[in-house]
Amino acid sequence: MTTRLLQNNAEDIALAGALLRGGEIVGMPTETVYGLGCDAGNADAVRKVFAAKGRPADNPLIVHIAALADWAPLVREIPPLAEQLAARFWPGPLTVILPRTDRIPAVTAGGLDTVGVRFPAHPVAQAMIRAAGVPVAAPSGNRSGSPSPTTSAHMLADMDGRIPAIVEGGSCLCGVESTVIQLEGADTVRVLRPGFVTPEQLRTVAANVIVDDAVLAQISPDTVVRSPGMKYKHYAPNAAVTLVQGGRAAFLRFMDTHRGAGVYALCFDADVPECEAAGIACVPYGDTDEERAAAFFARLRELDAEGAAHIYVRAPRTDGVGLAVYNRLIRAAGYDIADAGTF
Ligand code: AMP
Ligand code: MG
């Protein structure tokens, strides 16, 4: 199978819709990352997505809708807090988990009795879902374990020959996957996966926002977790990755003692002059948490293409969107975290 790159025009969107309706997989750009879209209600199509990704069967897919009214048939009940969150953050990078109806096959839900639903903001994703006429299940469009794709070229690198088509949608603005939340009682939100919608923003709607322990911790594979994706190796490039905590001076001292062939610093933009002055090979990934979220998956892939052996990443903060970046990076690093303060 050759994978076609479709464009954002009426003819190609109609073709993407027909492929989806016909049980095929189509690469879908969203504001978070590119996803592997399929008809969420078609168990055979969903199985193909798991196979194309190499994804463990117990890791559920998020279901995407393009109209608020399409949510109700998928879930048993929409509590007032869920409605308020949707009103504030949809369309956008927030996934809300609720008990599912039979419209969602068990395979889509990874065998759970719940389903995570999201209304994406990306116009191409919305057009594809409308053209399909069905809710579209879509996990991130990478091979399981690899960095998520934030461009069509990155998705093609992982999926060429495995799926019939990808729709071009430009570079993803957020660059990190959606914030995944569960509701607990009438006024509490639990963040299972941090994303562009931050705990601080969720607190403007929900009285209590809990960040699940698994967001910043290492989970052993046999632990029972609320969100199965939290326990798997994730987001990792071929190069070894170490997350380095500390300020600029400490990071530079650390890099000075970790020089070597194929060693790169993935640093903040403002670190570049000092890295260069010290002769440290460096690639910047942004100066704000938002910039770093948008860039770091692409930078990891680019460094792999350069043949990097070891990438030392200057750790972002763990507030705001930084929490989402930190959460991905500790997994990309296989929890190898160094404290530059001790050097
Ligand atoms: P991805 O498809 O790569 O964006 O990953 C989706 C993430 O959402 C994974 O970490 C899943 O475990 C999580 N997720 C999706 N649906 C559910 C659900 N019903 N319950 C708990 N976690 C979910
Ligand atoms: Mg993923």
Side-chain angles (χ1 to χ4, degrees), residues 53 55 140 142 148 177 193 234-235:
K53 246 185 103 66
R55 183 172 177 119
S140 55
N142 50 290
S148 299
E177 304 82 348
R193 178 176 72 183
H234 240 125
Y235 316 121

Side-chain angles (χ1 to χ4, degrees), residues 140-278:
S140 55
N142 50 290
R143 291 276 297 161
S144 206
S146 299
S148 299
T150 53
T151 67
S152 59
H154 293 163
M155 185 161 181
L156 200 59
D158 278 19
M159 290 298 156
D160 197 11
R162 293 177 176 274
I163 60 173
I166 299 172
V167 182
E168 176 59 57
S171 293
C172 302
L173 287 177
C174 300
V176 282
E177 304 82 348
S178 59
T179 305
V180 177
I181 60 164
Q182 234 171 19
L183 308 188
E184 293 183 357
D187 57 8
T188 300
V189 164
R190 177 180 292 273
V191 177
L192 300 184
R193 178 176 72 183
F196 230 73
V197 173
T198 63
E200 294 84 345
Q201 288 173 322
L202 291 166
R203 277 188 195 105
T204 64
V205 177
N208 304 306
V209 176
I210 302 165
V211 176
D212 197 272
D213 286 345
V215 164
L216 289 178
Q218 179 169 9
I219 308 297
S220 73
D222 46 359
T223 306
V224 176
V225 290
R226 289 185 175 84
S227 181
M230 295 194 289
K231 68 187 177 190
Y232 291 112
K233 174 173 178 279
H234 240 125
Y235 316 121
N238 298 324
V241 176
T242 302
L243 194 61
V244 183
Q245 283 175 326
R248 178 167 308 144
F251 183 71
L252 278 156
R253 276 199 307 278
F254 179 94
M255 289 310 305
D256 196 39
T257 58
H258 287 76
R259 293 166 188 271
V263 171
Y264 287 83
L266 186 56
C267 62
F268 298 173
D269 290 6
D271 303 335
V272 169
E274 286 179 60
C275 279
E276 284 182 345

Side-chain angles (χ1 to χ4, degrees), residues 36-125:
L36 277 167
C38 75
D39 176 355
N42 181 334
D44 289 335
V46 169
R47 280 189 204 98
K48 284 197 237 174
V49 165
F50 277 92
K53 246 185 103 66
R55 183 172 177 119
D58 70 347
N59 195 1
L61 307 187
I62 291 169
V63 176
H64 297 74
I65 56 174
L68 206 49
D70 293 339
W71 194 13
L74 310 179
V75 295
R76 271 184 250 148
E77 186 199 351
I78 301 175
L81 178 57
E83 241 166 59
Q84 289 155 19
L85 289 162
R88 168 74 174 78
F89 297 109
W90 282 359
L94 180 71
T95 297
V96 182
I97 295 172
L98 290 170
R100 68 180 163 91
T101 63
D102 291 344
R103 296 283 277 272
I104 299 297
V107 60
T108 309
L112 299 175
D113 58 7
T114 53
V115 62
V117 177
R118 180 165 106 79
F119 182 166
H122 198 297
V124 175

